[in-house]
Amino acid sequence: MQLSVIILNYNVRYFLELCVLSVQQALKDVDSEIIVIDNNSPDDSCDMIRSRFPDVKLIVNTENLGFPKGNNIGVSQAQGNYICILNPDTVVAEDTFTKVLAFAKVQQDLGIVGVNLIDGAGNFLPESKRGIPTPWVAFTKITSLYKVFPKSKYFNRYYAEHLSENQTGKVEILVGAFMVMKRDLYNEVGGFDEDCFMYSDDIDLSYMVLKKGKANYYLAETTVIHYKGESTIKDEKYMKRFQEAMNFFYKKHFKVSFLFSLFMKTGIVFFSIVKMIQGKTTIKTIPKEYFLYSMNDNLSEKLSSILQNKVTFCNLKKEKMVNSSLIYIGKGAEVILDNQYISFKKCIDMIKSERHKKITFKILPKNTTFLIGSDSSNDRGKIVKIT
């Protein structure tokens, strides 16, 4: 078997359904399996997987075991030569895995492969590629010096800015939302460290792979949506766990002075508070108008009733009509993409290409009765049921 896709879920039932649907489409030509591990979700995630995706291997934990242990359990059941650690609030393109595997197979020093990640509004997520957060790199992040001197190799290492978002190359740290690597290498480094509940686990795994003499790669040739805000609520628990995670990484890998430890603790608190504020100050705006791209004209009337607003029907004779017609859509509008007629790759490309036009997007996944999307990486996301 070529690939095992490992999806650890907690309480994001609709995002999980969208994710698995996109993964299934992307694995049609790959000898593969999908493994979903549920960390004791209070919603009906497990029932949905059993009924909608009976071929998916479902592992049900009786408690929330955290990100590292949950994924380690999934990998222990995997049979693929390669594994993909994938967040449930992601959407992959139909050619994502074929591109990643083709790239991985020709690397002699393969460690982990990550990809271009965008949020629900199409904005590039800089954590797609990062440097090792050494004391100096952490200092440039905390003081925002990386923003002041973005071209300097001494200040721009936190987000690996030696590579542009559209440039493939070696990086040090990749994000746990999407990681592809050989299963044997994952097991050789011990997988995710279960002493870390979350937030520095991907940094630690990336670093452990580097210590084995392998190279991690950022692959820009495929883009994946990571809604992000849905799987991580920015609250007091987030601040506490973020602090614990960074303390864990520094104690494990670096010898630091008392003064530096005090400095880092102060910085961690500061950034945790900023993250909390970002998560709580997202302003929800009601779209001025809606546009449905589909071939089902009856759907626009139904959506107009549910959204209590006019939904303009844009008839799709061919997918190539979409980008050209978007030119005429003004700011503040919301575009609804019917996945029954528009591929996930096309949805991703559209969202990415229109990211600076202040248009929001929702996807109607194939054979479902809900709209789903997010307007920013700080937004928890929105589900609109259309039953």
Side-chain angles (χ1 to χ4, degrees):
M1 183 178 289
Q2 279 189 284
L3 178 67
S4 297
V5 179
I6 313 296
I7 305 172
L8 177 66
N9 174 71
Y10 179 71
N11 203 33
V12 287
R13 173 250 191 268
Y14 291 101
F15 282 88
L16 175 64
E17 183 171 357
L18 172 63
C19 176
V20 175
L21 185 62
S22 73
V23 171
Q24 274 195 336
Q25 295 297 310
L27 292 177
K28 280 189 173 181
D29 299 320
V30 180
D31 182 16
S32 58
E33 64 179 347
I34 303 172
I35 301 174
V36 171
I37 310 95
D38 186 80
N39 258 347
N40 197 29
S41 298
D43 62 13
D44 64 338
S45 293
C46 294
D47 290 339
M48 180 275 295
I49 291 293
R50 292 187 185 101
S51 61
R52 180 87 200 265
F53 307 105
D55 293 334
V56 168
K57 183 182 294 184
L58 176 63
I59 300 171
V60 182
N61 293 331
T62 56
E63 60 181 308
N64 188 345
L65 300 175
F67 184 88
K69 189 168 185 176
N71 277 296
N72 288 344
I73 289 172
V75 175
S76 71
Q77 299 296 312
Q79 301 178 52
N81 184 31
Y82 293 87
I83 59 166
C84 176
I85 303 297
L86 187 67
N87 265 37
D89 56 347
T90 56
V91 181
V92 302
E94 282 79 0
D95 60 357
T96 290
F97 293 121
T98 54
K99 284 186 174 181
V100 171
L101 289 174
F103 177 84
K105 289 173 183 177
V106 298
Q107 308 308 318
Q108 298 299 315
D109 56 353
L110 181 69
I112 306 173
V113 181
V115 297
N116 182 302
L117 297 172
I118 60 173
D119 65 16
N123 300 304
F124 175 68
L125 294 174
E127 61 267 27
S128 300
K129 50 182 182 68
R130 288 173 290 175
I132 299 169
T134 60
W136 169 250
V137 173
F139 177 76
T140 62
K141 168 65 174 174
I142 290 172
T143 58
S144 295
L145 284 171
Y146 75 99
K147 292 181 180 179
V148 179
F149 305 103
K151 303 295 184 180
S152 170
K153 65 179 181 179
Y154 299 107
F155 295 96
N156 66 8
R157 289 167 57 192
Y158 188 85
Y159 287 127
E161 292 176 77
H162 67 286
L163 294 178
S164 72
E165 66 176 273
N166 299 315
Q167 183 180 4
T168 295
K170 292 183 179 181
V171 296
E172 293 169 328
I173 304 298
L174 294 164
V175 66
F178 185 104
M179 286 180 157
V180 169
M181 62 190 299
K182 287 189 174 180
R183 177 165 56 94
D184 288 347
L185 178 59
Y186 184 94
N187 291 328
E188 184 181 345
V189 298
F192 287 109
D193 192 324
E194 296 180 10
D195 288 335
C196 179
F197 190 82
M198 56 175 22
Y199 300 128
S200 73
D201 32 47
D202 50 4
I203 299 174
D204 180 65
L205 182 64
S206 298
Y207 190 63
M208 293 296 291
V209 166
L210 293 178
K211 289 174 70 174
K212 287 289 183 180
K214 303 296 184 180
N216 297 327
Y217 290 90
Y218 166 73
L219 180 64
E221 279 70 31
T222 186
T223 299
V224 169
I225 298 175
H226 180 203
Y227 288 111
K228 190 178 176 181
E230 180 61 26
S231 62
T232 305
I233 303 171
K234 311 297 193 297
D235 58 9
E236 288 74 14
K237 281 187 178 180
Y238 173 90
M239 184 175 73
K240 183 175 182 295
R241 288 173 180 168
F242 187 78
Q243 290 182 62
E244 291 173 348
M246 291 308 296
N247 285 334
F248 162 83
F249 181 73
Y250 278 96
K251 287 179 180 179
K252 180 175 178 178
H253 297 292
F254 297 98
K255 292 181 180 180
V256 295
S257 67
F258 170 77
L259 287 177
F260 179 76
S261 298
L262 181 62
F263 171 77
M264 279 305 303
K265 186 173 183 180
T266 303
I268 290 167
V269 171
F270 172 75
F271 273 105
S272 299
I273 292 172
V274 169
K275 289 285 187 181
M276 288 169 56
I277 293 172
Q278 288 176 341
K280 292 181 178 179
T281 58
T282 303
I283 300 173
K284 302 289 184 181
T285 57
I286 300 175
K288 296 177 183 177
E289 50 188 339
Y290 294 85
F291 295 84
L292 169 67
Y293 284 83
S294 176
M295 292 181 69
N296 182 356
D297 55 354
N298 294 325
L299 185 58
S300 60
E301 296 181 11
K302 184 175 184 179
L303 289 174
S304 294
S305 175
I306 293 171
L307 297 171
Q308 297 185 336
N309 204 330
K310 181 183 178 182
V311 177
T312 301
F313 176 63
C314 304
N315 193 2
L316 287 172
K317 298 297 182 182
K318 296 181 180 179
E319 285 191 9
K320 65 181 181 181
M321 292 176 52
V322 180
N323 283 342
S324 59
S325 59
L326 280 172
I327 296 173
Y328 304 103
I329 295 179
K331 293 180 180 179
E334 180 155 290
V335 174
I336 301 169
L337 304 172
D338 189 347
N339 176 233
Q340 189 72 40
Y341 308 101
I342 306 175
S343 69
F344 285 115
K345 179 176 173 56
K346 187 65 176 179
C347 289
I348 292 169
D349 289 345
M350 288 175 59
I351 294 171
K352 187 177 180 179
S353 66
E354 304 301 313
R355 60 182 171 183
H356 300 305
K357 297 183 180 179
K358 296 185 177 179
I359 301 172
T360 59
F361 288 88
K362 296 291 182 294
I363 296 175
L364 171 57
K366 184 183 298 185
N367 299 324
T368 66
T369 55
F370 60 88
L371 308 177
I372 190 166
S374 175
D375 298 342
S376 79
S377 57
N378 295 316
D379 180 14
R380 283 198 65 194
K382 186 176 181 181
I383 313 296
V384 179
K385 297 180 182 180
I386 56 174
T387 53

